[in-house]
Amino acid sequence: MDALARYEPIIPEFDAFLEACERHLPTTVRVNSIKATRDRVVEALEAEGIDVYGRDWNSDVLGVATGKPGNTWPYVHGWIHGQEEVSAVPPAILDPQPGEVVWDSCAAPGGKTTQIAAAMDDEGLVVANDDNLGRLSALRANCDRLGLTSAAVTNTDARRATLDPFPGVDAFDRALVDAPCTCEGTVRKNADALEGAGASASRNLAALQSDILERAIELTREGGTVVYSTCTFAPEENEAVVDDALADGDCRLLEFDTGLESSPGITEWNDETYDDSLTKTRRYYPHQNDTGGFFAAKLEVTA
């Protein structure tokens, strides 16, 4: 856990945070409302002898007393998707509506893409993009298993994405940038997550993250919503990236509340200061909700 020591000044109850990072991560699934209701899923899982418990903030997120939900009948038939609880936060913040055109810029393997489509009642268009060709098979497989008809899968560098493949689409209504990151927040399920982590690695990724976020803002209509998220604790990849976007003057931060306990984004880190509005972003720490770690920002496009 040495790689996390540099965050002690910004993480409340730091000892509890470190302790939580060393505990096993509870298994959670998301109900796929395109194919099944929550009650039907609970009944089917309990029929297989699996205890199920709800999560207050989101009725579609369920804790399950099994480490292998992918081996269950409801999973095979697309009623549920294995998804870490806090990973369901960014699409919930995005709040897509039926009939809209939504861009998921870094979509594979598809957990957030399929959550977006379900929130839209599978009506509209979800452009699920990833630049890693090898990961597209998992993205397509999840879209198929969960019964999506609204998704279009693309393979391009998100920094250079265009609207050209979609005649009649002048701009996206909403965009999700769940950016490639150092993944420190996944340490509870991936013991190797901290290998190579640190300030240098975070700074190296920040340029890529900023470029993708900038492109998402450019492709989203005025008044539209862009959500930026990562599963890391590094301010270099979180507040600093959003601060760069704000400096361009084409967006502003919005407040949001998921119902999960969280901490506000920071406005100072080492020798850097960020826009005061960065307190509207949220940091989700493992010890607050017994989840992995995440960062999320909600932006409104203003130009």
Side-chain angles (χ1 to χ4, degrees), residues 17 27 43 50 73 80 139-140 147 223 229 240-241 248 253 255 258 261:
F17 162 76
T27 302
E43 181 181 1
I50 297 172
W73 185 92
I80 60 173
L139 173 59
R140 290 195 182 100
S229 62
V241 171
D248 291 337
L253 279 166
E255 293 183 316
T258 62
E261 184 180 350

Side-chain angles (χ1 to χ4, degrees), residues 1 3 182-184 186-197:
M1 297 293 169
T182 49
C183 300
E184 296 166 335
T186 68
V187 66
R188 295 184 67 183
K189 64 180 179 181
N190 178 12
D192 299 328
L194 299 183
E195 290 187 6

Side-chain angles (χ1 to χ4, degrees), residues 106-110 130-140:
C106 310
D130 206 275
D131 70 344
N132 188 328
L133 186 60
R135 288 164 56 90
L136 289 190
S137 58
L139 173 59
R140 290 195 182 100

Side-chain angles (χ1 to χ4, degrees), residues 177-263:
V177 179
D178 188 52
C181 69
T182 49
C183 300
E184 296 166 335
T186 68
V187 66
R188 295 184 67 183
K189 64 180 179 181
N190 178 12
D192 299 328
L194 299 183
E195 290 187 6
S200 177
S202 293
R203 286 193 295 268
N204 288 339
L205 274 170
L208 169 65
Q209 295 160 337
S210 291
D211 287 347
I212 297 175
L213 178 56
E214 178 182 355
R215 190 59 181 147
I217 293 168
E218 290 172 348
L219 293 176
T220 301
R221 64 172 173 81
E222 185 176 352
T225 301
V226 176
V227 168
Y228 176 80
S229 62
T230 75
C231 56
T232 195
F233 307 115
E236 296 92 345
E237 302 178 62
N238 294 333
E239 287 89 350
V241 171
V242 177
D243 190 63
D244 282 347
L246 294 174
D248 291 337
D250 297 330
C251 61
R252 67 183 183 98
L253 279 166
L254 301 177
E255 293 183 316
F256 59 90
D257 181 13
T258 62
L260 282 173
E261 184 180 350
S262 62
S263 297

Side-chain angles (χ1 to χ4, degrees), residues 43-270:
E43 181 181 1
L45 289 171
E46 290 181 340
E48 294 198 24
I50 297 172
D51 291 334
V52 181
Y53 56 94
R55 303 298 286 171
D56 292 341
W57 75 280
N58 189 322
S59 61
D60 285 338
V61 176
L62 301 172
V64 292
T66 175
K68 298 181 178 179
N71 291 346
T72 65
W73 185 92
Y75 181 92
V76 172
H77 287 270
W79 290 13
I80 60 173
H81 183 70
Q83 189 167 344
E84 205 275 299
E85 181 172 0
V86 77
S87 178
V89 164
I93 297 169
L94 189 65
D95 192 27
Q97 301 299 308
E100 291 185 332
V101 181
V102 180
W103 188 42
D104 188 354
S105 62
C106 310
K112 296 177 183 67
T113 294
T114 54
Q115 184 180 349
I116 289 168
M120 295 167 60
D121 296 330
D122 203 27
E123 298 175 5
L125 174 64
V126 182
V127 178
N129 177 73
D130 206 275
D131 70 344
N132 188 328
L133 186 60
R135 288 164 56 90
L136 289 190
S137 58
L139 173 59
R140 290 195 182 100
N142 283 321
C143 289
D144 289 344
R145 180 177 57 83
L146 297 174
L148 272 63
T149 62
S150 59
V153 175
T154 59
N155 174 221
T156 191
D157 185 331
R159 296 171 293 182
R160 299 173 181 83
T162 70
L163 296 167
D164 295 345
F166 307 100
V169 176
D170 297 325
F172 294 118
D173 296 299
R174 301 175 198 255
L176 173 62
V177 179
D178 188 52
C181 69
T182 49
C183 300
E184 296 166 335
T186 68
V187 66
R188 295 184 67 183
K189 64 180 179 181
N190 178 12
D192 299 328
L194 299 183
E195 290 187 6
S200 177
S202 293
R203 286 193 295 268
N204 288 339
L205 274 170
L208 169 65
Q209 295 160 337
S210 291
D211 287 347
I212 297 175
L213 178 56
E214 178 182 355
R215 190 59 181 147
I217 293 168
E218 290 172 348
L219 293 176
T220 301
R221 64 172 173 81
E222 185 176 352
T225 301
V226 176
V227 168
Y228 176 80
S229 62
T230 75
C231 56
T232 195
F233 307 115
E236 296 92 345
E237 302 178 62
N238 294 333
E239 287 89 350
V241 171
V242 177
D243 190 63
D244 282 347
L246 294 174
D248 291 337
D250 297 330
C251 61
R252 67 183 183 98
L253 279 166
L254 301 177
E255 293 183 316
F256 59 90
D257 181 13
T258 62
L260 282 173
E261 184 180 350
S262 62
S263 297
I266 62 173
T267 57
E268 296 181 7
W269 174 246
N270 293 340

Side-chain angles (χ1 to χ4, degrees), residues 23-39:
R23 291 200 304 266
H24 177 71
L25 184 69
T27 302
T28 55
V29 299
R30 177 177 53 80
V31 175
N32 175 30
S33 58
I34 294 173
K35 283 195 171 185
T37 64
R38 182 184 188 275
D39 290 345

